[in-house]
Coordinates of all heavy atoms in Angstrom, one line a residue:
M1 N 27.0 -23.5 -21.2 CA 27.2 -24.6 -20.3 C 26.0 -25.5 -20.4 O 24.8 -25.1 -20.4 CB 27.3 -24.1 -18.9 CG 28.0 -24.8 -17.9 SD 29.7 -25.3 -17.7 CE 30.7 -23.8 -17.7
L2 N 26.2 -26.8 -20.6 CA 25.1 -27.8 -20.7 C 25.2 -28.7 -19.5 O 26.2 -29.1 -19.1 CB 25.4 -28.6 -22.0 CG 25.6 -27.8 -23.3 CD1 26.4 -28.6 -24.3 CD2 24.3 -27.3 -23.8
V3 N 24.0 -29.1 -19.0 CA 24.0 -30.0 -17.9 C 23.0 -31.1 -18.1 O 21.9 -30.9 -18.6 CB 23.5 -29.1 -16.6 CG1 23.4 -30.0 -15.4 CG2 24.5 -28.0 -16.4
A4 N 23.4 -32.3 -17.6 CA 22.5 -33.5 -17.6 C 22.7 -34.1 -16.2 O 23.8 -33.9 -15.6 CB 22.8 -34.4 -18.7
T5 N 21.8 -34.9 -15.8 CA 22.0 -35.6 -14.5 C 21.9 -37.1 -14.7 O 21.2 -37.6 -15.6 CB 21.0 -35.2 -13.4 OG1 19.7 -35.5 -13.9 CG2 21.1 -33.7 -13.1
G6 N 22.5 -37.9 -13.8 CA 22.4 -39.3 -13.7 C 22.9 -39.8 -12.4 O 23.4 -39.0 -11.6
E7 N 22.7 -41.1 -12.1 CA 23.1 -41.7 -10.8 C 24.3 -42.5 -11.0 O 24.1 -43.7 -11.2 CB 21.9 -42.5 -10.3 CG 21.6 -42.3 -8.8 CD 22.7 -42.6 -7.9 OE1 23.9 -42.3 -8.1 OE2 22.4 -43.3 -6.9
F8 N 25.5 -41.9 -11.1 CA 26.7 -42.6 -11.5 C 27.3 -43.5 -10.4 O 27.9 -44.5 -10.7 CB 27.7 -41.7 -12.0 CG 27.3 -41.1 -13.4 CD1 26.5 -40.0 -13.5 CD2 27.7 -41.8 -14.5 CE1 26.1 -39.5 -14.7 CE2 27.3 -41.3 -15.8 CZ 26.5 -40.2 -15.9
D9 N 27.3 -43.0 -9.1 CA 27.9 -43.8 -8.1 C 27.0 -44.6 -7.2 O 27.4 -45.1 -6.1 CB 28.8 -42.8 -7.2 CG 28.0 -41.7 -6.6 OD1 26.8 -41.6 -6.9 OD2 28.6 -40.9 -5.9
L10 N 25.7 -44.7 -7.6 CA 24.7 -45.6 -6.9 C 24.6 -45.3 -5.4 O 24.4 -46.2 -4.7 CB 25.1 -47.0 -7.2 CG 25.3 -47.5 -8.6 CD1 25.7 -48.9 -8.7 CD2 24.0 -47.2 -9.4
D11 N 24.6 -44.0 -5.1 CA 24.4 -43.6 -3.7 C 23.0 -43.0 -3.4 O 22.7 -42.5 -2.4 CB 25.5 -42.6 -3.2 CG 25.5 -41.3 -3.9 OD1 24.7 -41.1 -4.9 OD2 26.3 -40.4 -3.6
G12 N 22.2 -43.0 -4.5 CA 20.8 -42.5 -4.3 C 20.7 -41.0 -4.5 O 19.6 -40.4 -4.4
K13 N 21.8 -40.3 -4.9 CA 21.8 -38.8 -5.1 C 22.2 -38.6 -6.6 O 23.1 -39.2 -7.1 CB 22.8 -38.2 -4.2 CG 22.5 -38.3 -2.7 CD 23.6 -37.7 -1.8 CE 24.8 -38.6 -1.9 NZ 25.8 -38.2 -0.9
P14 N 21.5 -37.6 -7.2 CA 21.8 -37.3 -8.6 C 23.2 -36.7 -8.8 O 23.6 -35.9 -7.9 CB 20.7 -36.4 -9.1 CG 20.2 -35.8 -7.8 CD 20.4 -36.8 -6.7
D15 N 23.9 -37.1 -9.8 CA 25.2 -36.5 -10.1 C 25.1 -35.7 -11.4 O 24.1 -35.8 -12.1 CB 26.2 -37.6 -10.3 CG 26.3 -38.6 -9.1 OD1 26.5 -38.1 -8.0 OD2 26.1 -39.8 -9.3
A16 N 26.0 -34.7 -11.6 CA 25.9 -33.8 -12.7 C 26.9 -34.1 -13.8 O 28.1 -34.4 -13.5 CB 26.1 -32.4 -12.2
V17 N 26.5 -34.0 -15.0 CA 27.4 -34.0 -16.2 C 27.3 -32.7 -16.8 O 26.2 -32.2 -17.1 CB 26.9 -35.1 -17.2 CG1 27.8 -35.1 -18.5 CG2 27.0 -36.5 -16.6
V18 N 28.4 -32.0 -17.0 CA 28.5 -30.7 -17.5 C 29.3 -30.7 -18.8 O 30.4 -31.2 -18.8 CB 29.1 -29.7 -16.5 CG1 29.1 -28.3 -17.0 CG2 28.3 -29.8 -15.2
G19 N 28.8 -30.1 -19.9 CA 29.5 -29.9 -21.1 C 29.8 -28.5 -21.3 O 29.0 -27.6 -21.1
D20 N 31.1 -28.1 -21.7 CA 31.5 -26.8 -21.9 C 31.9 -26.6 -23.4 O 32.9 -27.3 -23.8 CB 32.6 -26.4 -21.0 CG 32.8 -24.9 -20.8 OD1 32.3 -24.2 -21.6 OD2 33.5 -24.5 -19.8
Y21 N 31.2 -25.8 -24.1 CA 31.4 -25.6 -25.6 C 32.8 -25.3 -26.0 O 33.4 -26.0 -26.8 CB 30.4 -24.6 -26.1 CG 30.4 -24.4 -27.6 CD1 29.5 -25.2 -28.4 CD2 31.2 -23.6 -28.2 CE1 29.5 -25.1 -29.7 CE2 31.2 -23.4 -29.6 CZ 30.4 -24.2 -30.4 OH 30.3 -24.1 -31.7
F22 N 33.3 -24.2 -25.5 CA 34.6 -23.7 -26.1 C 35.8 -24.5 -25.7 O 36.6 -24.8 -26.6 CB 34.8 -22.2 -25.7 CG 33.9 -21.3 -26.5 CD1 32.8 -20.7 -25.8 CD2 34.0 -21.1 -27.9 CE1 31.9 -19.9 -26.5 CE2 33.1 -20.3 -28.6 CZ 32.1 -19.7 -27.9
P23 N 36.0 -25.0 -24.5 CA 37.2 -25.8 -24.2 C 37.0 -27.3 -24.6 O 37.9 -28.0 -24.7 CB 37.4 -25.7 -22.7 CG 36.1 -25.3 -22.2 CD 35.4 -24.5 -23.2
G24 N 35.7 -27.7 -24.9 CA 35.4 -29.0 -25.3 C 35.5 -30.0 -24.2 O 36.0 -31.2 -24.4
I25 N 35.2 -29.6 -23.0 CA 35.3 -30.5 -21.8 C 33.9 -31.0 -21.4 O 33.0 -30.3 -21.3 CB 36.0 -29.7 -20.7 CG1 37.4 -29.4 -21.0 CG2 35.9 -30.5 -19.4 CD1 38.1 -28.6 -20.0
V26 N 33.9 -32.3 -21.1 CA 32.7 -32.9 -20.5 C 33.2 -33.3 -19.1 O 34.2 -34.0 -19.0 CB 32.2 -34.1 -21.3 CG1 31.1 -34.8 -20.5 CG2 31.8 -33.7 -22.7
Q27 N 32.5 -32.9 -18.1 CA 32.9 -33.2 -16.7 C 31.8 -33.8 -16.0 O 30.6 -33.4 -16.0 CB 33.3 -31.9 -16.0 CG 33.9 -32.0 -14.7 CD 34.5 -30.7 -14.2 OE1 34.4 -29.7 -14.8 NE2 35.1 -30.8 -13.0
L28 N 32.1 -34.9 -15.2 CA 31.2 -35.6 -14.3 C 31.5 -35.2 -12.9 O 32.7 -35.3 -12.5 CB 31.4 -37.1 -14.5 CG 30.7 -38.0 -13.4 CD1 29.2 -37.8 -13.4 CD2 31.0 -39.5 -13.7
V29 N 30.5 -34.7 -12.2 CA 30.7 -34.2 -10.8 C 29.8 -35.0 -9.9 O 28.6 -35.0 -10.1 CB 30.4 -32.7 -10.7 CG1 30.7 -32.3 -9.2 CG2 31.3 -31.9 -11.6
L30 N 30.4 -35.8 -9.0 CA 29.6 -36.7 -8.1 C 29.0 -35.8 -7.0 O 29.7 -35.0 -6.4 CB 30.4 -37.8 -7.6 CG 31.0 -38.8 -8.6 CD1 31.9 -39.8 -8.0 CD2 29.9 -39.4 -9.5
N31 N 27.8 -36.0 -6.7 CA 27.1 -35.3 -5.6 C 27.6 -35.8 -4.3 O 27.4 -36.9 -3.9 CB 25.6 -35.6 -5.8 CG 24.7 -34.8 -4.8 OD1 25.2 -34.2 -3.8 ND2 23.5 -34.7 -5.1
A32 N 28.1 -34.8 -3.5 CA 28.5 -35.1 -2.1 C 27.7 -34.4 -1.1 O 28.1 -34.2 0.0 CB 30.0 -34.7 -2.0
D33 N 26.4 -34.1 -1.4 CA 25.5 -33.4 -0.6 C 26.1 -32.0 -0.3 O 25.8 -31.0 -1.0 CB 25.2 -34.1 0.7 CG 24.0 -35.1 0.5 OD1 23.3 -35.0 -0.5 OD2 23.9 -36.0 1.4
I34 N 26.8 -31.9 0.8 CA 27.4 -30.6 1.2 C 28.9 -30.7 1.0 O 29.5 -31.5 1.6 CB 27.0 -30.3 2.7 CG1 25.5 -30.2 2.8 CG2 27.7 -29.0 3.1 CD1 25.1 -30.0 4.3
A35 N 29.4 -29.9 0.1 CA 30.8 -29.9 -0.2 C 31.6 -29.2 0.9 O 31.2 -28.2 1.4 CB 31.1 -29.3 -1.5
P36 N 32.8 -29.8 1.3 CA 33.6 -29.1 2.2 C 34.3 -27.9 1.6 O 34.4 -27.8 0.4 CB 34.7 -30.2 2.6 CG 34.7 -31.1 1.5 CD 33.3 -31.1 0.9
I37 N 34.7 -27.0 2.4 CA 35.4 -25.8 1.9 C 36.9 -25.9 2.2 O 37.2 -26.2 3.3 CB 34.9 -24.5 2.5 CG1 33.4 -24.4 2.4 CG2 35.5 -23.3 2.0 CD1 32.9 -24.3 0.9
P38 N 37.8 -25.9 1.2 CA 37.5 -25.8 -0.2 C 36.9 -27.0 -0.8 O 37.0 -28.1 -0.2 CB 38.9 -25.5 -0.8 CG 39.9 -26.2 0.2 CD 39.2 -26.1 1.5
V39 N 36.3 -26.9 -1.9 CA 35.6 -28.0 -2.6 C 36.5 -29.1 -2.8 O 37.6 -29.0 -3.4 CB 34.9 -27.5 -3.9 CG1 34.3 -28.7 -4.6 CG2 33.9 -26.4 -3.6
D40 N 36.1 -30.3 -2.4 CA 36.9 -31.5 -2.7 C 36.7 -31.9 -4.1 O 35.6 -32.1 -4.6 CB 36.4 -32.7 -1.8 CG 37.1 -34.0 -2.0 OD1 38.1 -34.0 -2.6 OD2 36.6 -35.0 -1.5
T41 N 37.8 -32.0 -4.9 CA 37.7 -32.4 -6.3 C 37.9 -33.9 -6.6 O 38.0 -34.3 -7.7 CB 38.8 -31.6 -7.1 OG1 40.1 -31.9 -6.6 CG2 38.5 -30.1 -7.1
S42 N 37.9 -34.7 -5.6 CA 38.1 -36.1 -5.8 C 36.9 -36.8 -6.5 O 37.0 -37.9 -7.1 CB 38.4 -36.9 -4.5 OG 37.2 -36.8 -3.6
G43 N 35.7 -36.1 -6.5 CA 34.6 -36.7 -7.2 C 34.3 -36.0 -8.5 O 33.2 -36.0 -9.0
E44 N 35.4 -35.4 -9.2 CA 35.2 -34.8 -10.5 C 36.1 -35.5 -11.5 O 37.2 -35.9 -11.2 CB 35.7 -33.3 -10.4 CG 34.8 -32.5 -9.5 CD 35.2 -31.0 -9.5 OE1 36.0 -30.6 -10.4 OE2 34.8 -30.3 -8.5
Y45 N 35.5 -35.8 -12.6 CA 36.2 -36.5 -13.7 C 36.0 -35.7 -15.0 O 34.9 -35.3 -15.4 CB 35.5 -37.9 -13.9 CG 35.6 -38.7 -12.6 CD1 34.5 -38.6 -11.7 CD2 36.7 -39.4 -12.3 CE1 34.6 -39.3 -10.5 CE2 36.8 -40.2 -11.1 CZ 35.7 -40.1 -10.2 OH 35.7 -40.8 -9.1
K46 N 37.1 -35.3 -15.7 CA 37.1 -34.5 -16.9 C 37.5 -35.4 -18.1 O 38.4 -36.2 -18.0 CB 38.1 -33.4 -16.8 CG 37.7 -32.2 -16.0 CD 38.7 -31.1 -16.1 CE 38.2 -29.9 -15.2 NZ 39.1 -28.8 -15.4
F47 N 36.7 -35.1 -19.1 CA 37.0 -35.8 -20.4 C 37.2 -34.7 -21.5 O 36.2 -33.9 -21.7 CB 35.8 -36.7 -20.8 CG 35.5 -37.7 -19.7 CD1 34.5 -37.4 -18.7 CD2 36.1 -38.9 -19.6 CE1 34.2 -38.3 -17.7 CE2 35.8 -39.8 -18.6 CZ 34.9 -39.5 -17.7
T48 N 38.3 -34.6 -22.0 CA 38.7 -33.5 -22.9 C 38.4 -34.0 -24.4 O 38.9 -35.0 -24.8 CB 40.1 -33.1 -22.7 OG1 40.3 -32.7 -21.4 CG2 40.4 -31.9 -23.6
H49 N 37.7 -33.1 -25.1 CA 37.4 -33.3 -26.5 C 37.8 -32.1 -27.3 O 38.3 -31.1 -26.7 CB 35.9 -33.6 -26.7 CG 35.4 -34.7 -25.9 ND1 35.5 -36.1 -26.3 CD2 34.7 -34.8 -24.7 CE1 34.9 -36.9 -25.4 NE2 34.5 -36.1 -24.4
E50 N 37.5 -32.1 -28.6 CA 37.7 -30.8 -29.3 C 36.7 -29.8 -28.9 O 35.6 -30.2 -28.5 CB 37.6 -31.2 -30.8 CG 38.6 -32.1 -31.4 CD 40.0 -31.5 -31.4 OE1 40.1 -30.3 -31.6 OE2 41.0 -32.2 -31.1
P51 N 36.9 -28.5 -29.1 CA 35.9 -27.5 -28.8 C 34.7 -27.7 -29.7 O 34.8 -28.2 -30.8 CB 36.6 -26.2 -29.3 CG 38.1 -26.5 -29.1 CD 38.2 -27.9 -29.5
G52 N 33.5 -27.4 -29.1 CA 32.3 -27.5 -29.9 C 31.3 -28.4 -29.2 O 30.3 -28.8 -29.9
I53 N 31.4 -28.8 -27.9 CA 30.5 -29.6 -27.3 C 29.1 -28.9 -27.2 O 29.0 -27.8 -26.6 CB 30.9 -30.0 -25.8 CG1 32.2 -30.8 -25.9 CG2 29.8 -30.8 -25.1 CD1 32.2 -32.1 -26.6
S54 N 28.1 -29.4 -27.9 CA 26.8 -28.7 -28.0 C 25.7 -29.4 -27.3 O 24.6 -29.0 -27.4 CB 26.5 -28.4 -29.5 OG 26.5 -29.6 -30.2
G55 N 26.0 -30.6 -26.8 CA 24.9 -31.3 -26.1 C 25.5 -32.5 -25.3 O 26.5 -33.1 -25.7
V56 N 24.9 -32.8 -24.2 CA 25.2 -33.9 -23.4 C 23.9 -34.6 -23.0 O 22.9 -34.0 -22.8 CB 26.0 -33.6 -22.1 CG1 27.4 -33.1 -22.5 CG2 25.3 -32.6 -21.2
A57 N 24.0 -35.9 -22.9 CA 22.8 -36.7 -22.5 C 23.3 -37.9 -21.7 O 24.5 -38.3 -21.8 CB 22.1 -37.2 -23.7
V58 N 22.4 -38.4 -20.8 CA 22.8 -39.5 -20.0 C 21.7 -40.6 -20.2 O 20.5 -40.4 -20.2 CB 22.8 -39.1 -18.5 CG1 22.9 -40.3 -17.5 CG2 23.8 -38.1 -18.2
G59 N 22.2 -41.9 -20.3 CA 21.3 -43.0 -20.4 C 22.1 -44.3 -20.3 O 23.3 -44.3 -20.5
D60 N 21.4 -45.4 -20.0 CA 22.1 -46.7 -19.9 C 22.1 -47.3 -21.4 O 21.2 -47.9 -21.8 CB 21.3 -47.6 -19.0 CG 21.9 -49.0 -18.8 OD1 23.0 -49.2 -19.4 OD2 21.3 -49.9 -18.2
L61 N 23.3 -47.1 -22.0 CA 23.5 -47.6 -23.4 C 23.9 -49.0 -23.5 O 23.7 -49.6 -24.6 CB 24.5 -46.7 -24.1 CG 24.2 -45.2 -24.1 CD1 25.4 -44.4 -24.7 CD2 22.9 -44.9 -24.8
T62 N 24.4 -49.6 -22.4 CA 24.9 -51.0 -22.5 C 24.0 -52.0 -21.8 O 24.3 -53.2 -21.9 CB 26.3 -51.0 -21.8 OG1 26.2 -50.6 -20.5 CG2 27.3 -50.1 -22.6
G63 N 23.0 -51.5 -21.1 CA 22.1 -52.4 -20.5 C 22.6 -53.0 -19.2 O 22.0 -54.0 -18.7
E64 N 23.6 -52.5 -18.6 CA 24.2 -53.1 -17.4 C 23.7 -52.4 -16.1 O 24.1 -52.7 -15.0 CB 25.7 -53.0 -17.4 CG 26.3 -51.7 -17.4 CD 27.8 -51.7 -17.4 OE1 28.5 -52.7 -17.4 OE2 28.4 -50.6 -17.5
G65 N 22.7 -51.4 -16.3 CA 22.2 -50.8 -15.1 C 22.9 -49.5 -14.6 O 22.6 -49.0 -13.6
L66 N 23.9 -49.1 -15.4 CA 24.7 -47.9 -15.0 C 24.5 -46.8 -16.1 O 24.5 -47.2 -17.3 CB 26.1 -48.2 -14.8 CG 26.5 -49.1 -13.7 CD1 28.0 -49.4 -13.8 CD2 26.2 -48.5 -12.4
P67 N 24.4 -45.6 -15.7 CA 24.3 -44.5 -16.8 C 25.6 -44.3 -17.5 O 26.7 -44.4 -17.0 CB 23.9 -43.3 -16.0 CG 24.4 -43.5 -14.6 CD 24.4 -45.0 -14.4
D68 N 25.4 -44.0 -18.8 CA 26.6 -43.7 -19.7 C 26.3 -42.3 -20.2 O 25.2 -41.7 -20.1 CB 26.6 -44.7 -20.9 CG 26.7 -46.1 -20.4 OD1 27.7 -46.4 -19.6 OD2 25.8 -46.9 -20.8
I69 N 27.4 -41.7 -20.7 CA 27.3 -40.3 -21.2 C 27.5 -40.2 -22.7 O 28.3 -40.9 -23.2 CB 28.4 -39.4 -20.5 CG1 28.3 -39.5 -19.0 CG2 28.4 -38.0 -21.0 CD1 29.5 -38.9 -18.2
V70 N 26.7 -39.4 -23.3 CA 26.8 -39.1 -24.7 C 27.1 -37.6 -24.9 O 26.4 -36.8 -24.3 CB 25.5 -39.5 -25.5 CG1 25.7 -39.2 -27.0 CG2 25.1 -40.9 -25.3
A71 N 28.1 -37.3 -25.6 CA 28.5 -35.9 -25.9 C 28.4 -35.6 -27.4 O 28.9 -36.4 -28.2 CB 29.8 -35.5 -25.3
F72 N 27.8 -34.5 -27.7 CA 27.6 -34.1 -29.2 C 28.5 -33.0 -29.4 O 28.6 -32.0 -28.7 CB 26.2 -33.7 -29.5 CG 25.2 -34.7 -29.0 CD1 24.6 -34.5 -27.7 CD2 24.9 -35.9 -29.7 CE1 23.6 -35.4 -27.3 CE2 24.0 -36.8 -29.2 CZ 23.3 -36.6 -28.0
N73 N 29.3 -33.0 -30.5 CA 30.2 -31.9 -30.9 C 29.7 -31.4 -32.3 O 29.9 -32.1 -33.3 CB 31.6 -32.4 -31.0 CG 32.6 -31.3 -31.1 OD1 32.4 -30.4 -32.0 ND2 33.6 -31.2 -30.3
E74 N 29.2 -30.2 -32.3 CA 28.7 -29.6 -33.6 C 29.8 -29.1 -34.5 O 29.6 -29.0 -35.7 CB 27.7 -28.5 -33.3 CG 28.3 -27.2 -32.7 CD 27.3 -26.1 -32.5 OE1 26.1 -26.5 -32.5 OE2 27.7 -25.0 -32.4
M75 N 31.0 -28.8 -33.9 CA 32.1 -28.4 -34.8 C 32.8 -29.5 -35.5 O 33.3 -29.3 -36.6 CB 33.1 -27.6 -34.0 CG 32.6 -26.2 -33.5 SD 33.7 -25.3 -32.5 CE 34.8 -24.7 -33.9
T76 N 32.9 -30.7 -34.9 CA 33.5 -31.8 -35.6 C 32.5 -32.8 -36.1 O 32.9 -33.8 -36.8 CB 34.4 -32.6 -34.6 OG1 33.6 -33.1 -33.5 CG2 35.5 -31.6 -34.0
D77 N 31.2 -32.6 -35.9 CA 30.2 -33.6 -36.3 C 30.4 -34.9 -35.7 O 30.2 -36.0 -36.4 CB 30.0 -33.6 -37.8 CG 29.4 -32.4 -38.4 OD1 28.6 -31.7 -37.7 OD2 29.8 -32.0 -39.5
E78 N 30.9 -35.0 -34.4 CA 31.1 -36.3 -33.8 C 30.2 -36.5 -32.6 O 29.8 -35.5 -31.9 CB 32.6 -36.4 -33.3 CG 33.6 -36.4 -34.5 CD 35.0 -36.3 -34.0 OE1 35.3 -35.9 -32.9 OE2 35.9 -36.8 -34.7
I79 N 30.0 -37.7 -32.3 CA 29.3 -38.1 -31.1 C 30.3 -39.0 -30.2 O 30.9 -39.9 -30.8 CB 28.1 -38.9 -31.4 CG1 27.0 -38.1 -32.1 CG2 27.4 -39.5 -30.1 CD1 25.9 -38.9 -32.6
S80 N 30.5 -38.6 -29.0 CA 31.4 -39.3 -28.1 C 30.6 -40.1 -27.1 O 29.7 -39.5 -26.5 CB 32.4 -38.4 -27.4 OG 33.2 -37.7 -28.4
L81 N 31.0 -41.3 -26.8 CA 30.4 -42.1 -25.7 C 31.4 -42.3 -24.6 O 32.5 -42.7 -24.8 CB 30.0 -43.5 -26.3 CG 29.1 -43.5 -27.5 CD1 28.8 -45.0 -28.0 CD2 27.8 -42.8 -27.2
I82 N 30.9 -42.1 -23.4 CA 31.7 -42.3 -22.2 C 30.9 -43.3 -21.4 O 29.9 -43.0 -20.8 CB 31.9 -41.0 -21.4 CG1 32.6 -39.9 -22.3 CG2 32.7 -41.3 -20.1 CD1 32.5 -38.5 -21.7
L83 N 31.4 -44.6 -21.4 CA 30.7 -45.7 -20.8 C 31.1 -45.9 -19.4 O 32.3 -45.9 -19.0 CB 30.9 -46.9 -21.6 CG 30.5 -46.9 -23.1 CD1 30.9 -48.2 -23.8 CD2 29.1 -46.6 -23.3
S84 N 30.1 -46.2 -18.5 CA 30.4 -46.5 -17.1 C 30.7 -48.0 -17.1 O 30.3 -48.8 -17.9 CB 29.1 -46.3 -16.3 OG 28.7 -45.0 -16.2
V85 N 31.5 -48.3 -16.1 CA 31.9 -49.7 -15.9 C 31.7 -50.1 -14.4 O 31.8 -49.3 -13.5 CB 33.4 -50.0 -16.2 CG1 33.6 -49.8 -17.7 CG2 34.3 -49.1 -15.4
K86 N 31.3 -51.4 -14.2 CA 31.1 -51.8 -12.8 C 32.4 -52.2 -12.2 O 33.3 -52.8 -12.9 CB 30.1 -53.1 -12.8 CG 28.7 -52.7 -13.1 CD 27.8 -53.9 -12.9 CE 26.4 -53.5 -13.2 NZ 25.4 -54.5 -12.9
N87 N 32.6 -51.9 -11.0 CA 33.8 -52.2 -10.3 C 33.8 -53.7 -9.8 O 32.9 -54.2 -9.5 CB 34.1 -51.3 -9.1 CG 34.4 -49.9 -9.5 OD1 34.9 -49.8 -10.6 ND2 34.2 -49.0 -8.7

């Protein structure tokens, strides 16, 4: 499991980006401080890729002030970009 952090929803709390090698899933989980029981999944976003996610990174790639996600896949030799957009 790979983890990176960024401030995706601009609420002042770090959010988590998790990469999972075998299923090839990159997931963004927004920080809600204390999660209700059962856990509210409305702040989770899944991006499905081919198996082999071997790295995730967060940075502002477009210069608009929002973090974007980069996922590396060692099995396919691909780099995927997941770009944030302003509402």
